[in-house]
Amino acid sequence: MLKKFFAALALFIVAIMFYDIASNYQERQQLSGVAQYYVEKGPSELGAANLVTSVVVTYRGLDTLGEVTVLFISAAGIGLLLRRQRDDKDPSPQKDNAPCSEIVDTAFHLLFPMILLFGIYIFVNGHLTPGGGFQGGAVIASGMMLYLLAKPNNTFNLQLLKKIESFSGSAYVLIGALGLFLAGGFLDNRVLSLGEFGSLFSAGLIPVIYVLIGLKVGAELSSVLTKFRDS
Amino acid sequence: MLLIITVILCIGIIISALLAIYLNNMISIVISAGLSGLFASVTYVMLAAPDVAMTEAAIGSGLTTLIFLYAINKTKCKDDINDY
């Protein structure tokens, strides 16, 4: 009874909050101050054709670094929780998993290279078309997921994934610090020249940072998936 | 037209989220939770946010579903196998 009363009370409070938001809602006719600045100055200042990228990587670059850190901490936590208990015994994983179905195996051989290539395309072209490091890394990790499903007895080299992850993470921070000395501030992309607007080698450091983030996210999510399967 | 499609997609999100709460079979629950992520990602495309849609499609409906399936597989008890 008391439980239901508190549930109803919580629902009522949420309803009041949403009523307040909904009754005062009116569609914006123009962008708010800082968004207006980004839309007007972003392309000429940073040279990225995809405006979202210039906001995510440069104007709000510190937030992206925070997101990468959160992902790193959660991957490290999963690694701590699911670490192998039987280090003293034979370290090779059990080889008695049932093989996957014919459909998954055929789809794996057809789709795996394409998914990887698409993921790389997404993060290399992040400053030109929708997408970026996180998206490309997640697509690569879903390709790795297909690999883990199709080959139940194979596993990834976790040491190599760990090395890729630490290399790209530290390179991201170092490149960001480079901006302190050579350009306007931390994670400023104008260390390299901006290039021609809309071409592949443009927008200064943004493609470099996105390639690093893509590698880091892809390696991290793949190692999380591997640990979940093999723990 | 765009509004109608968006509303239908939002109803799809709500229905699959309710299914995820009220179904009894663990596998169906995980699949319907992934389905709500898939509906959400299409909604993001309709609302002109392709960057978010990509992340949602890959992580929300792909990787999370698989991680849940692995976790259910690992924690399955022999006694209440009929529940799964």
Side-chain angles (χ1 to χ4, degrees):
Chain A
M1 185 61 206
L2 202 64
K3 212 166 127 187
K4 278 188 179 164
F5 171 72
F6 278 117
L9 190 70
L11 272 180
F12 182 66
I13 294 171
V14 171
I16 290 177
M17 283 159 55
F18 272 96
Y19 176 74
D20 196 43
I21 294 170
S23 61
N24 291 329
Y25 176 75
Q26 50 198 18
E27 206 162 331
R28 273 179 191 278
Q29 297 305 316
Q30 57 182 20
L31 293 166
S32 62
V34 72
Q36 187 74 37
Y37 176 83
Y38 290 159
V39 170
E40 278 171 5
K41 299 280 176 58
S44 56
E45 269 188 5
L46 305 181
N50 179 12
L51 191 67
V52 177
T53 311
S54 55
V55 174
V56 167
V57 178
T58 306
Y59 288 127
R60 293 275 179 268
L62 210 58
D63 295 18
T64 307
L65 185 62
E67 283 171 30
V68 169
T69 314
V70 167
L71 194 65
F72 169 73
I73 291 172
S74 44
I78 289 169
L80 186 70
L81 272 176
L82 299 180
R83 67 183 185 278
R84 281 168 189 275
Q85 307 286 342
R86 44 185 173 76
D87 284 333
D88 47 339
K89 289 181 200 161
D90 182 22
S92 66
Q94 64 274 28
K95 297 275 182 191
D96 53 351
N97 293 317
C100 69
S101 75
E102 186 81 33
I103 298 172
V104 178
D105 195 54
T106 313
F108 164 71
H109 285 109
L110 192 66
L111 288 177
F112 183 64
M114 287 195 233
I115 294 177
L116 284 195
L117 200 63
F118 183 55
I120 292 169
Y121 169 84
I122 287 178
F123 67 64
V124 169
N125 283 284
H127 56 303
L128 305 176
T129 52
F134 273 100
Q135 289 86 346
V139 169
I140 286 182
S142 57
M144 298 302 184
M145 176 180 100
L146 190 59
Y147 178 90
L148 290 173
L149 282 176
K151 306 278 176 211
N153 293 323
N154 296 10
T155 186
F156 294 129
N157 187 345
L158 285 178
Q159 293 300 321
L160 180 68
L161 288 180
K162 216 178 281 178
K163 274 177 192 137
I164 293 175
E165 188 189 325
S166 6
F167 165 74
S168 39
S170 38
Y172 177 28
V173 177
L174 286 178
I175 282 177
L178 213 59
L180 281 174
F181 303 108
L182 300 177
F186 188 57
L187 288 172
D188 197 321
N189 73 330
R190 286 166 288 188
V191 173
L192 301 175
S193 73
L194 290 184
E196 187 192 345
F197 183 79
S199 66
L200 183 61
F201 294 101
S202 67
L205 273 182
I206 288 178
V208 182
I209 289 177
Y210 257 172
V211 167
L212 290 174
I213 294 180
L215 286 176
K216 184 170 165 61
V217 171
E220 243 157 26
L221 292 178
S222 311
S223 65
V224 165
L225 285 171
T226 315
K227 279 170 192 157
F228 258 93
R229 194 194 63 171
D230 294 341
S231 66
Chain B
M1 191 60 203
L2 201 69
L3 184 73
I4 297 172
I5 297 176
T6 312
V7 168
I8 291 174
L9 286 168
C10 291
I11 293 172
I13 298 175
I14 294 173
I15 289 176
S16 45
L18 286 176
L19 278 180
I21 297 174
Y22 287 112
L23 282 178
N24 288 323
N25 184 312
M26 269 315 217
I27 306 290
S28 320
I29 290 173
V30 172
I31 298 294
S32 42
L35 190 67
S36 83
L38 206 60
F39 274 124
S41 107
V42 183
T43 317
Y44 290 138
V45 177
M46 301 303 294
L47 299 174
D51 298 76
V52 190
M54 272 183 212
T55 320
E56 178 68 40
I59 294 182
S61 60
L63 298 180
T64 336
T65 310
L66 191 83
I67 286 183
F68 271 125
L69 288 180
Y70 276 141
I72 288 172
N73 198 24
K74 302 282 177 199
T75 55
K76 194 186 271 182
C77 293
K78 290 282 179 281
D79 294 329
D80 49 5
I81 194 142
N82 292 327
D83 296 347
Y84 295 104

